[in-house]
Amino acid sequence: MSVGRETRLSAWIERLAAHFAEEGIPLIGGRILGYLLVCEPVERTAAELAQELEASSGSISTNLKFLVNAGLVTKRTRRGRQAAEYRVDEKRWADMVQRRLDALVSVRDLTESGMRLLSGDPQRAHRLRTVDQLYTWLADELPPLWERRPTPPK
Amino acid sequence: MSVGRETRLSAWIERLAAHFAEEGIPLIGGRILGYLLVCEPVERTAAELAQELEASSGSISTNLKFLVNAGLVTKRTRRGRQAAEYRVDEKRWADMVQRRLDALVSVRDLTESGMRLLSGDPQRAHRLRTVDQLYTWLADELPPLWERRPTPPK
DNA sequence: CTATGGCTTCAGTGTTGACCGAAACCAAGG
DNA sequence: CCTTGGTTTCGGTCAACACTGAAGCCATAG
């Protein structure tokens, strides 16, 4: 006996949330993201999310604020509707990825200033130089590659 | 009146540790890494690290175990020496970076399986498709780029 | 075999952060 | 102005984790 699509999607949402939990995004925040990526219709109110994800209204509020602030979710209010509607802004997903790449590349600033402190003692700088060269290569390669990324039309 | 190089290096170590703390590496672990990158001579015992970094022997032990396990630090024991000596293995730093890139790319497995669940409903899959295309591009580009990385001679 | 120095283990402490649920707050509608 | 439905704020709980320091463990030296 096979399980329904919605059940599978629940499991999928949970896996996605677990992945991002490891990267520092709260579990409920990850669930919201996953749910908003696949729900129909695309917009949901905070109350609907609380019920669907079985989370407290407080947690939903906190995490929605976080996601809106990160740009991944947009909030829309409408005249005549007391409830705000939330939806993912899938286009902004790239921003999040870019932030992660930037974090990697930014280590180069550290290795670079470390190398300056050790200038005049190449012997002692040897270990740090190896690391610095790696990050210098990353800093040279990643940003241009990122720029060549195909942006979705429309 | 200017401060000495060792003082500056202490501050540098602290900045490095702070950076990696944000990425989930314990503060003391980060300090050990930074210190082992620039200390002279290159090898230190756990006791020396504890004194130099003003941390408890327990913390040093735990974090050294963690770093050795991650491959970033190697432990060496010598006949006639009761104290083991630790040093950074700067070559292995690339492994850590690769793990981070892999974590990014691995999201593609999630988006891919999500797309499968939504096959047959392209309308509903639209948001996820946008995200999936981004990670597909990353999965196509990053591994080959990484392979082209110049590995240090010697 | 005993003593010594150093490393690791472990129980305990303090802190951080996610989460909950109730209370306060804020429209919009009667 | 009061009510209603919804959202945000806030105090409190709980679990996870970094860190400490003391006790235990090992290996070496005498």
Side-chain angles (χ1 to χ4, degrees):
Chain A
M1 162 132 193
S2 81
V3 293
R5 168 184 278 183
E6 298 309 317
T7 305
R8 285 176 208 257
L9 274 174
S10 290
W12 178 82
I13 290 168
E14 205 56 27
R15 278 195 290 145
L16 186 117
H19 176 93
F20 285 111
E22 289 183 355
E23 324 240 302
I25 291 177
L27 199 52
I28 292 187
R31 287 191 184 122
I32 293 174
L33 270 186
Y35 184 73
L36 287 181
L37 268 179
V38 299
C39 64
E40 192 86 85
V42 298
E43 285 176 317
R44 288 293 142 107
T45 67
E48 289 168 339
L49 291 169
Q51 177 169 14
E52 185 67 36
L53 301 176
E54 296 175 88
S56 71
S57 58
S59 285
I60 296 293
S61 177
T62 301
N63 280 279
L64 276 176
K65 192 176 206 170
F66 169 74
L67 293 172
V68 167
N69 193 43
L72 292 171
V73 169
T74 58
K75 173 182 186 172
R76 182 169 69 148
T77 55
R78 287 202 273 183
R79 274 191 321 172
R81 295 281 175 80
Q82 51 276 50
E85 316 220 285
Y86 298 90
R87 68 157 80 193
V88 291
D89 186 352
E90 67 272 10
K91 304 274 180 48
R92 303 290 298 278
W93 210 283
D95 298 358
M96 183 181 60
V97 174
Q98 187 173 12
R99 277 194 294 275
R100 297 198 68 77
L101 293 178
D102 285 347
L104 244 195
V105 164
S106 74
V107 177
R108 201 222 169 187
D109 298 339
L110 276 169
T111 59
E112 201 176 27
S113 70
M115 287 301 287
R116 264 197 301 275
L117 286 174
L118 292 183
S119 66
D121 195 344
Q123 186 68 25
R124 186 172 175 187
H126 174 261
R127 286 155 287 167
L128 184 53
R129 175 177 301 114
T130 302
V131 176
D132 181 52
Q133 283 168 349
L134 172 63
Y135 284 107
T136 297
W137 175 79
L138 277 174
D140 285 345
E141 297 290 333
L142 282 185
L145 174 69
W146 184 252
E147 288 311 316
R148 268 181 264 123
R149 151 185 58 103
T151 63
K154 168 171 180 249
Chain B
M1 161 126 193
S2 80
V3 293
R5 166 185 279 185
E6 298 309 318
T7 304
R8 286 177 206 257
L9 274 174
S10 290
W12 178 82
I13 290 169
E14 204 58 25
R15 278 195 290 143
L16 185 116
H19 176 94
F20 285 110
E22 288 183 356
E23 324 239 306
I25 293 177
L27 200 52
I28 293 187
R31 287 190 184 121
I32 294 174
L33 269 186
Y35 184 73
L36 287 181
L37 269 178
V38 299
C39 65
E40 193 85 86
V42 299
E43 286 178 316
R44 288 293 141 108
T45 67
E48 287 168 338
L49 290 169
Q51 177 169 14
E52 185 67 35
L53 301 176
E54 296 175 87
S56 70
S57 58
S59 285
I60 296 294
S61 177
T62 300
N63 280 279
L64 276 176
K65 191 177 208 168
F66 169 74
L67 293 172
V68 167
N69 194 42
L72 291 171
V73 169
T74 58
K75 173 182 186 172
R76 182 168 68 150
T77 55
R78 287 202 273 183
R79 274 191 321 175
R81 295 281 175 81
Q82 52 275 49
E85 316 219 288
Y86 297 90
R87 66 157 81 192
V88 292
D89 186 351
E90 67 272 11
K91 304 274 181 49
R92 301 291 298 277
W93 209 282
D95 298 357
M96 184 180 58
V97 173
Q98 185 173 14
R99 277 193 294 274
R100 300 198 72 75
L101 293 178
D102 285 347
L104 244 196
V105 165
S106 74
V107 178
R108 200 221 169 188
D109 298 340
L110 277 168
T111 59
E112 202 176 26
S113 70
M115 287 301 286
R116 263 197 301 274
L117 286 175
L118 293 182
S119 66
D121 195 344
Q123 187 67 25
R124 185 172 177 188
H126 174 259
R127 287 154 287 167
L128 184 53
R129 175 176 301 113
T130 303
V131 177
D132 182 53
Q133 283 168 350
L134 172 63
Y135 285 108
T136 297
W137 176 79
L138 277 173
D140 285 345
E141 296 291 332
L142 282 185
L145 175 70
W146 183 253
E147 288 311 317
R148 268 181 264 124
R149 150 184 59 102
T151 62
K154 164 174 187 260

